Amino acid sequence: MKDIYIEEFNKLKTEVESCRKCALHESRNKIVFGNGSTDSKIFIIGEGPGYDEDKTGVAFVGKSGQLLEKIFQACGFERNKHIYIGNIVKCRPPQNRVPTIDEQRECLPYLEKQIELIDPKILVLLGSTALKAFFGLQSKITKERGQWKIYNNRYVMPTFHPSALLRNPSLKREAWEDFKMVIQKYREVVDAEHKCKYI
Ligand code: URA
């Protein structure tokens, strides 16, 4: 991230920490602003914090996060170097329910600002909620995964949420195909020399 944006980024985080725009603030322990490298060219977007994320304030540290970590390793991506990771909403929805449209609408401008400041080339949308938040409620993850889309001049790859892969391991094969496309795009638009032991 350019130096001139760092202050703005930190200010945004402070703003989110005291956000009360929707009812999710009432039950949160910690906001989950997002984690990883602000120099990253890949921004991964999930749905919202779960139990572990709400306790720690760190995105994707629970079971889904552990699976995602394995996927990143297979891709040759390090979380603190190649990746920034965040969610559609920054506070945990009670019982991990899907965030409502109103909750998403209140929270999305924060994510949009993060994307603008980090300026990634590639967005990876994990699951239906993230896909719909960017491309509309009619979107279907089962249909649209594995196909590049464009959002504000950035390449976007929708794929399954890791929690879907945990529930249904047979989806892992397709998810790996999607991440292989991300590796190829990364080589094409960011670093032609990017190393990955599988492709
Ligand atoms: N699931 C998400 O969508 N985001 C997290 O941060 C953790 C689990």
Side-chain angles (χ1 to χ4, degrees):
M1 180 183 290
K2 293 194 187 108
D3 281 354
I4 49 164
Y5 293 151
I6 292 176
E7 198 179 328
E8 209 174 333
F9 196 77
N10 291 338
K11 248 172 75 184
L12 185 69
K13 184 170 183 212
T14 308
E15 191 185 331
V16 175
E17 278 162 353
S18 55
C19 179
R20 292 165 162 255
K21 287 187 180 162
C22 82
L24 294 182
H25 82 273
E26 292 166 11
S27 52
R28 75 175 173 227
N29 281 300
K30 290 197 168 161
I31 64 131
V32 178
F33 185 65
N35 302 90
S37 166
T38 52
D39 290 324
S40 142
K41 298 297 166 204
I42 309 176
F43 199 132
I44 311 258
I45 300 170
E47 177 177 294
Y51 176 88
D52 298 290
E53 292 77 19
D54 173 70
K55 282 271 177 289
T56 57
V58 182
F60 282 97
V61 287
K63 285 211 169 72
S64 288
Q66 288 157 23
L67 175 55
L68 209 49
E69 185 59 39
K70 285 189 190 161
I71 299 173
F72 294 158
Q73 279 176 13
C75 293
F77 294 143
E78 287 171 43
R79 232 170 119 139
N80 287 320
K81 184 173 171 196
H82 302 92
I83 304 277
Y84 193 86
I85 189 160
N87 285 300
I88 298 297
V89 295
K90 305 217 180 302
C91 298
R92 182 191 183 201
Q95 278 84 49
N96 296 345
R97 64 164 171 74
V98 177
T100 66
I101 300 300
D102 285 345
E103 289 160 356
Q104 294 183 37
R105 192 183 303 124
E106 293 295 353
C107 212
L108 263 172
Y110 296 136
L111 180 64
E112 276 161 2
K113 191 76 200 170
Q114 283 173 296
I115 295 172
E116 189 190 315
L117 293 173
I118 291 176
D119 196 22
K121 299 256 188 248
I122 300 169
L123 304 179
V124 178
L125 302 179
L126 301 174
S128 171
T129 302
L131 175 65
K132 287 179 173 165
F134 279 79
F135 291 99
L137 289 175
Q138 79 296 338
S139 308
K140 290 254 181 306
I141 192 70
T142 44
K143 265 204 187 138
E144 294 172 47
R145 57 143 285 273
Q147 293 171 48
W148 286 110
K149 292 173 163 289
I150 299 287
Y151 178 80
N152 285 351
N153 282 325
R154 306 183 202 284
Y155 295 99
V156 183
M157 175 54 68
T159 188
F160 294 119
H161 192 283
S163 65
L165 306 180
L166 290 168
R167 279 195 308 272
N168 186 355
S170 68
L171 298 177
K172 285 184 185 173
R173 186 184 294 266
E174 286 161 283
W176 177 233
E177 293 304 317
D178 303 345
F179 274 96
K180 283 201 286 195
M181 291 174 74
V182 173
I183 298 166
Q184 274 153 356
K185 186 63 78 184
Y186 189 82
R187 286 183 179 143
E188 200 181 304
V189 299
V190 182
D191 176 9
E193 306 294 314
H194 178 73
K195 302 258 180 307
C196 156
K197 58 185 171 185
Y198 298 107
I199 66 161

Short mmCIF file of all heavy atoms in Angstrom, two decimals, residues 3 17 19 26 31 43 47 66 76 78 92 111 117-118 132 134 143 148 165 168 176-177 180 182 199:
data_model
loop_
_atom_site.label_atom_id
_atom_site.label_comp_id
_atom_site.label_asym_id
_atom_site.label_seq_id
_atom_site.Cartn_x
_atom_site.Cartn_y
_atom_site.Cartn_z
N ASP A 3 2.41 4.68 1.04
CA ASP A 3 2.54 5.27 2.38
C ASP A 3 1.40 6.25 2.70
O ASP A 3 0.89 6.26 3.81
CB ASP A 3 3.87 6.04 2.49
CG ASP A 3 5.01 5.07 2.72
OD1 ASP A 3 4.74 3.86 2.89
OD2 ASP A 3 6.18 5.52 2.70
N GLU A 17 -13.94 0.00 14.64
CA GLU A 17 -13.91 -0.48 16.04
C GLU A 17 -15.03 0.13 16.88
O GLU A 17 -15.48 -0.47 17.84
CB GLU A 17 -12.54 -0.21 16.68
CG GLU A 17 -11.53 -1.28 16.29
CD GLU A 17 -10.08 -0.90 16.50
OE1 GLU A 17 -9.78 0.26 16.84
OE2 GLU A 17 -9.24 -1.79 16.30
N CYS A 19 -17.94 1.16 15.43
CA CYS A 19 -19.13 1.19 14.58
C CYS A 19 -20.36 0.64 15.31
O CYS A 19 -20.29 -0.39 15.98
CB CYS A 19 -18.88 0.38 13.31
SG CYS A 19 -20.33 0.34 12.21
N GLU A 26 -23.97 -5.13 19.00
CA GLU A 26 -24.44 -5.41 20.37
C GLU A 26 -23.88 -6.71 20.91
O GLU A 26 -23.63 -6.84 22.10
CB GLU A 26 -25.98 -5.46 20.40
CG GLU A 26 -26.60 -4.09 20.15
CD GLU A 26 -28.09 -4.18 19.85
OE1 GLU A 26 -28.68 -5.26 20.04
OE2 GLU A 26 -28.65 -3.16 19.42
N ILE A 31 -14.37 -6.67 16.66
CA ILE A 31 -14.59 -6.53 15.22
C ILE A 31 -13.47 -7.33 14.52
O ILE A 31 -12.39 -7.51 15.08
CB ILE A 31 -14.53 -5.06 14.73
CG1 ILE A 31 -13.13 -4.47 14.96
CG2 ILE A 31 -15.61 -4.21 15.38
CD1 ILE A 31 -12.58 -3.79 13.76
N PHE A 43 -7.05 -10.26 -2.65
CA PHE A 43 -7.92 -9.96 -1.51
C PHE A 43 -8.97 -11.07 -1.46
O PHE A 43 -9.72 -11.25 -2.42
CB PHE A 43 -8.57 -8.59 -1.73
CG PHE A 43 -9.13 -7.93 -0.49
CD1 PHE A 43 -8.83 -6.59 -0.22
CD2 PHE A 43 -9.94 -8.61 0.41
CE1 PHE A 43 -9.33 -5.95 0.91
CE2 PHE A 43 -10.43 -7.99 1.54
CZ PHE A 43 -10.13 -6.65 1.79
N GLU A 47 -17.60 -14.41 4.47
CA GLU A 47 -18.95 -13.94 4.79
C GLU A 47 -18.94 -13.04 6.02
O GLU A 47 -19.32 -11.87 5.97
CB GLU A 47 -19.83 -15.16 5.03
CG GLU A 47 -21.25 -14.84 5.43
CD GLU A 47 -22.09 -16.12 5.57
OE1 GLU A 47 -22.32 -16.77 4.55
OE2 GLU A 47 -22.49 -16.44 6.70
N GLN A 66 -8.39 -22.81 8.94
CA GLN A 66 -7.32 -23.80 8.88
C GLN A 66 -7.30 -24.51 7.52
O GLN A 66 -6.25 -24.77 6.94
CB GLN A 66 -7.47 -24.80 10.02
CG GLN A 66 -7.10 -24.14 11.36
CD GLN A 66 -7.73 -24.82 12.57
OE1 GLN A 66 -8.08 -26.00 12.51
NE2 GLN A 66 -7.89 -24.08 13.65
N GLY A 76 1.21 -21.85 -2.82
CA GLY A 76 2.45 -21.08 -2.65
C GLY A 76 2.20 -19.66 -2.17
O GLY A 76 3.05 -18.78 -2.32
N GLU A 78 1.58 -17.04 0.94
CA GLU A 78 1.69 -16.86 2.39
C GLU A 78 0.74 -15.78 2.82
O GLU A 78 0.64 -14.73 2.17
CB GLU A 78 3.13 -16.44 2.75
CG GLU A 78 4.14 -17.55 2.63
CD GLU A 78 5.55 -17.01 2.78
OE1 GLU A 78 5.79 -16.17 3.66
OE2 GLU A 78 6.40 -17.43 1.97
N ARG A 92 -19.57 -10.57 14.16
CA ARG A 92 -20.15 -11.91 14.05
C ARG A 92 -21.67 -11.89 14.12
O ARG A 92 -22.23 -11.37 15.10
CB ARG A 92 -19.63 -12.78 15.20
CG ARG A 92 -20.16 -14.20 15.11
CD ARG A 92 -19.88 -14.97 16.38
NE ARG A 92 -20.35 -16.34 16.22
CZ ARG A 92 -20.63 -17.15 17.22
NH1 ARG A 92 -20.48 -16.73 18.47
NH2 ARG A 92 -21.05 -18.37 16.98
N LEU A 111 -15.52 -2.36 3.50
CA LEU A 111 -14.77 -3.31 2.67
C LEU A 111 -14.37 -2.65 1.34
O LEU A 111 -13.24 -2.81 0.86
CB LEU A 111 -15.63 -4.56 2.41
CG LEU A 111 -15.00 -5.65 1.55
CD1 LEU A 111 -13.77 -6.24 2.24
CD2 LEU A 111 -16.02 -6.76 1.26
N LEU A 117 -7.99 1.06 -1.08
CA LEU A 117 -6.69 1.45 -0.52
C LEU A 117 -5.63 0.37 -0.78
O LEU A 117 -4.48 0.68 -1.08
CB LEU A 117 -6.81 1.73 0.99
CG LEU A 117 -7.67 2.96 1.35
CD1 LEU A 117 -7.87 3.04 2.85
CD2 LEU A 117 -7.04 4.24 0.83
N ILE A 118 -6.00 -0.89 -0.63
CA ILE A 118 -5.03 -1.97 -0.86
C ILE A 118 -4.77 -2.14 -2.35
O ILE A 118 -3.67 -2.44 -2.77
CB ILE A 118 -5.55 -3.29 -0.22
CG1 ILE A 118 -5.51 -3.13 1.31
CG2 ILE A 118 -4.73 -4.50 -0.66
CD1 ILE A 118 -6.09 -4.32 2.08
N LYS A 132 -23.02 -12.82 -3.84
CA LYS A 132 -24.25 -12.02 -3.98
C LYS A 132 -24.03 -10.56 -3.58
O LYS A 132 -24.61 -9.66 -4.17
CB LYS A 132 -25.36 -12.63 -3.12
CG LYS A 132 -25.91 -13.91 -3.72
CD LYS A 132 -26.97 -14.51 -2.86
CE LYS A 132 -27.59 -15.70 -3.61
NZ LYS A 132 -28.39 -16.55 -2.76
N PHE A 134 -21.49 -8.79 -4.09
CA PHE A 134 -20.82 -8.07 -5.19
C PHE A 134 -21.61 -8.09 -6.49
O PHE A 134 -21.57 -7.14 -7.25
CB PHE A 134 -19.42 -8.66 -5.44
CG PHE A 134 -18.40 -8.15 -4.48
CD1 PHE A 134 -18.32 -8.68 -3.20
CD2 PHE A 134 -17.55 -7.12 -4.83
CE1 PHE A 134 -17.38 -8.20 -2.29
CE2 PHE A 134 -16.61 -6.63 -3.93
CZ PHE A 134 -16.53 -7.17 -2.66
N LYS A 143 -23.12 -22.14 -10.00
CA LYS A 143 -23.04 -21.86 -11.44
C LYS A 143 -21.85 -20.99 -11.78
O LYS A 143 -21.24 -21.12 -12.84
CB LYS A 143 -24.30 -21.08 -11.88
CG LYS A 143 -25.39 -21.93 -12.42
CD LYS A 143 -26.27 -21.08 -13.34
CE LYS A 143 -27.48 -21.86 -13.77
NZ LYS A 143 -28.69 -21.04 -13.72
N TRP A 148 -13.95 -16.30 -14.32
CA TRP A 148 -13.51 -14.94 -13.99
C TRP A 148 -14.61 -13.94 -14.22
O TRP A 148 -15.35 -14.03 -15.21
CB TRP A 148 -12.27 -14.56 -14.82
CG TRP A 148 -11.04 -15.26 -14.34
CD1 TRP A 148 -10.37 -16.25 -15.00
CD2 TRP A 148 -10.35 -15.04 -13.11
NE1 TRP A 148 -9.31 -16.66 -14.24
CE2 TRP A 148 -9.26 -15.94 -13.08
CE3 TRP A 148 -10.54 -14.19 -12.02
CZ2 TRP A 148 -8.37 -16.00 -12.01
CZ3 TRP A 148 -9.65 -14.26 -10.96
CH2 TRP A 148 -8.59 -15.15 -10.96
N LEU A 165 -16.73 -26.74 1.89
CA LEU A 165 -15.78 -27.83 1.61
C LEU A 165 -15.67 -28.77 2.81
O LEU A 165 -15.49 -29.98 2.64
CB LEU A 165 -14.40 -27.28 1.27
CG LEU A 165 -14.32 -26.24 0.15
CD1 LEU A 165 -12.88 -25.78 -0.06
CD2 LEU A 165 -14.90 -26.80 -1.15
N ASN A 168 -18.92 -30.79 2.72
CA ASN A 168 -19.02 -31.63 1.54
C ASN A 168 -17.65 -31.74 0.84
O ASN A 168 -17.37 -31.04 -0.14
CB ASN A 168 -20.07 -31.01 0.60
CG ASN A 168 -20.34 -31.88 -0.59
OD1 ASN A 168 -19.69 -32.91 -0.79
ND2 ASN A 168 -21.29 -31.48 -1.42
N TRP A 176 -10.16 -26.57 -5.88
CA TRP A 176 -8.75 -26.57 -6.27
C TRP A 176 -8.59 -26.09 -7.70
O TRP A 176 -7.66 -25.34 -8.04
CB TRP A 176 -8.13 -27.96 -6.04
CG TRP A 176 -6.71 -28.10 -6.46
CD1 TRP A 176 -6.20 -29.04 -7.28
CD2 TRP A 176 -5.59 -27.26 -6.08
NE1 TRP A 176 -4.84 -28.85 -7.44
CE2 TRP A 176 -4.45 -27.76 -6.72
CE3 TRP A 176 -5.46 -26.12 -5.26
CZ2 TRP A 176 -3.19 -27.19 -6.58
CZ3 TRP A 176 -4.20 -25.54 -5.13
CH2 TRP A 176 -3.08 -26.07 -5.77
N GLU A 177 -9.53 -26.49 -8.59
CA GLU A 177 -9.50 -25.98 -9.97
C GLU A 177 -9.59 -24.45 -9.96
O GLU A 177 -8.90 -23.76 -10.72
CB GLU A 177 -10.67 -26.55 -10.80
CG GLU A 177 -10.59 -28.05 -11.06
CD GLU A 177 -9.28 -28.47 -11.73
OE1 GLU A 177 -8.84 -27.78 -12.66
OE2 GLU A 177 -8.69 -29.49 -11.29
N LYS A 180 -6.36 -22.98 -8.79
CA LYS A 180 -5.32 -23.08 -9.83
C LYS A 180 -5.47 -21.92 -10.82
O LYS A 180 -4.48 -21.38 -11.31
CB LYS A 180 -5.43 -24.43 -10.56
CG LYS A 180 -4.87 -25.56 -9.72
CD LYS A 180 -4.48 -26.78 -10.56
CE LYS A 180 -5.66 -27.56 -11.03
NZ LYS A 180 -5.40 -28.88 -11.53
N VAL A 182 -6.54 -19.01 -10.01
CA VAL A 182 -6.03 -17.83 -9.29
C VAL A 182 -4.50 -17.79 -9.40
O VAL A 182 -3.91 -16.73 -9.66
CB VAL A 182 -6.50 -17.84 -7.81
CG1 VAL A 182 -5.83 -16.70 -7.03
CG2 VAL A 182 -8.02 -17.72 -7.74
N ILE A 199 1.50 -26.73 -9.75
CA ILE A 199 1.28 -26.34 -11.16
C ILE A 199 2.33 -25.31 -11.59
O ILE A 199 2.93 -24.63 -10.80
CB ILE A 199 -0.13 -25.77 -11.46
CG1 ILE A 199 -0.39 -24.44 -10.76
CG2 ILE A 199 -1.20 -26.78 -11.11
CD1 ILE A 199 -1.55 -23.67 -11.37
#
